[in-house]
Structures are given as structure tokens and as C-alpha cells.
Amino acid sequence: MSSLKLAVIIGSVREGRFGSTVAAWFAEQAARHGGFEVDVIDLADADLPLALPAIPPAMEPNPPRPEGMVDLSARLAAADAFVIVTPDYNRSYPAALKAAIDWHFTQWDAKTIGFVGYSGASGGLLAIEHLRQVFNELNAHTVREYVSFPRYYLLFDEEGRLREPNEPAAAAQTMLDRLHWWAEALAAARTASVAA
């Protein structure tokens, strides 16, 4: 398989969040897959103001951004595919994740996105469904496959290891296969579009 760049984004910035544990597990699965160069992006490391620029991104896709967002923007732009690791907050996804999405535009365009959800009963699926709508508007392709951890606090041990890893690992590999297919196809399409 060709090596494509996969950004694994930790969507929660809440103190004490579990997202970094889930993201570390998924990054390990992605490294084992072998088709991607993996970059784990922690949104807690970026400056993500909720107040957006006055000009909408369709008119100014790359507005001046806070200095603390420059690294994030560059890493998003370099990625060929994304996996969003997200909990459910009030039946949706975290505000910091929405800010990161809305501050960017071309970085998502014609790229593929997968999801890993975790929360109580829903396992992050409520957040994932909302995110599919948002990324569709940004001309990104979300894959059907996902990984979900309902009642994640029962599934991982104190060291952050899954108690029963086989089923989630199989789901991750299936999603990574699909992500790789789409990432390769879309990378070729973006290259052809630039050359035309």
C-alpha cells in the first residue's frame, strides 16, 4: 500500500478527557495497518477562538489565524485523510472541535474522514452523525465504517488497554482499509485537478 498521511484528531479538550487514551489506541491500530503515516493532533495544543473571521470561508478560505493555530492549520493541510476521535457532549460533539472545523475550509476539501466515538450509552454515535452533516457541507467524504466505544469506562483497563481488543481492532482495520481506498482515490483526483 502507498503511504498516505492520516491525521488522528483528539476532539475533546476537556480536563481529564478520555480522548487521548482512545486516540493512542487508534493510532496504534493505524500504524499496524501500514498504509498511513500517522499524525496525532491534540486540539488542546491549539488556540481555537470561537469568534470566527468576519468574511466567510467560501469567500476567504485561508484567513489570518491566531499564531497558536498555525501549526494545526499546516498539519490539517498536509493530511490526506482524517480520523476524528470524539465523545458525545449533550447529544453532539465538542465546541472546540467545531471551532477547529470552522476555522478551516480548504484543508478538508476532497479528503476522506473516519470516526472513532466514545461515550456512555451511544458510544459517540450522536456526535458522529452530526459531524457527517458538517463535513458533507465542506466537500469531504465520510466513510460509512466507524469504531464506537459505548460505556468506554468499562471497556478499557486502568492502563488504557482494551479488555477485549479483538472486535474493536477488526472494526478499526476495516475502517482503515476503506479510508485508505478513498484517500488514495481523492489524492489522485486532487492531483489531476491541479494539473488540468
Side-chain angles (χ1 to χ4, degrees):
M1 288 189 211
S2 65
S3 183
L4 296 159
K5 292 182 179 177
L6 172 66
V8 177
I9 300 173
I10 304 172
S12 172
V13 300
R14 177 180 280 177
E15 187 176 345
R17 71 227 157 113
F18 198 73
S20 52
T21 299
V22 178
W25 171 84
F26 186 80
E28 184 180 318
Q29 304 305 305
R32 188 172 297 146
H33 180 268
F36 295 100
E37 177 186 328
V38 182
D39 179 20
V40 178
I41 297 176
D42 189 345
L43 294 185
D45 296 335
D47 181 10
L48 293 169
L50 297 180
L52 297 171
I55 301 172
M59 296 173 65
E60 176 50 69
N62 287 298
R65 296 187 176 98
E67 184 63 31
M69 197 186 296
V70 171
D71 180 62
L72 170 64
S73 299
R75 289 164 76 184
L76 295 178
D80 296 297
F82 304 94
V83 167
I84 311 293
V85 178
T86 184
D88 283 342
Y89 284 0
N90 300 319
R91 301 181 67 84
S92 192
Y93 54 92
L97 179 53
K98 186 64 161 70
I101 294 167
D102 289 347
W103 268 100
H104 298 91
F105 188 70
T106 56
Q107 291 81 0
W108 313 114
D109 186 46
K111 295 182 182 179
T112 189
I113 301 178
F115 302 101
V116 178
Y118 65 96
S119 70
S122 81
L125 296 183
L126 299 171
I128 289 170
E129 287 309 305
H130 283 181
L131 285 164
R132 288 187 192 283
Q133 297 173 44
V134 172
F135 281 115
N136 183 60
E137 178 65 20
L138 292 166
N139 195 40
H141 176 77
T142 63
V143 297
R144 178 179 180 274
E145 294 78 8
Y146 59 88
V147 182
S148 175
F149 294 108
R151 296 183 176 86
Y152 64 89
Y153 41 84
L154 301 177
L155 304 178
F156 288 81
D157 66 19
E158 293 74 19
E159 282 75 46
R161 294 186 302 257
L162 277 168
R163 299 178 193 279
E164 297 183 18
N166 292 346
E167 189 175 332
Q173 293 305 303
T174 299
M175 183 175 77
L176 284 160
D177 285 345
R178 187 63 59 97
L179 272 172
H180 191 276
W181 191 96
W182 277 104
E184 203 163 48
L186 290 171
R190 289 194 308 273
T191 301
S193 177
V194 170

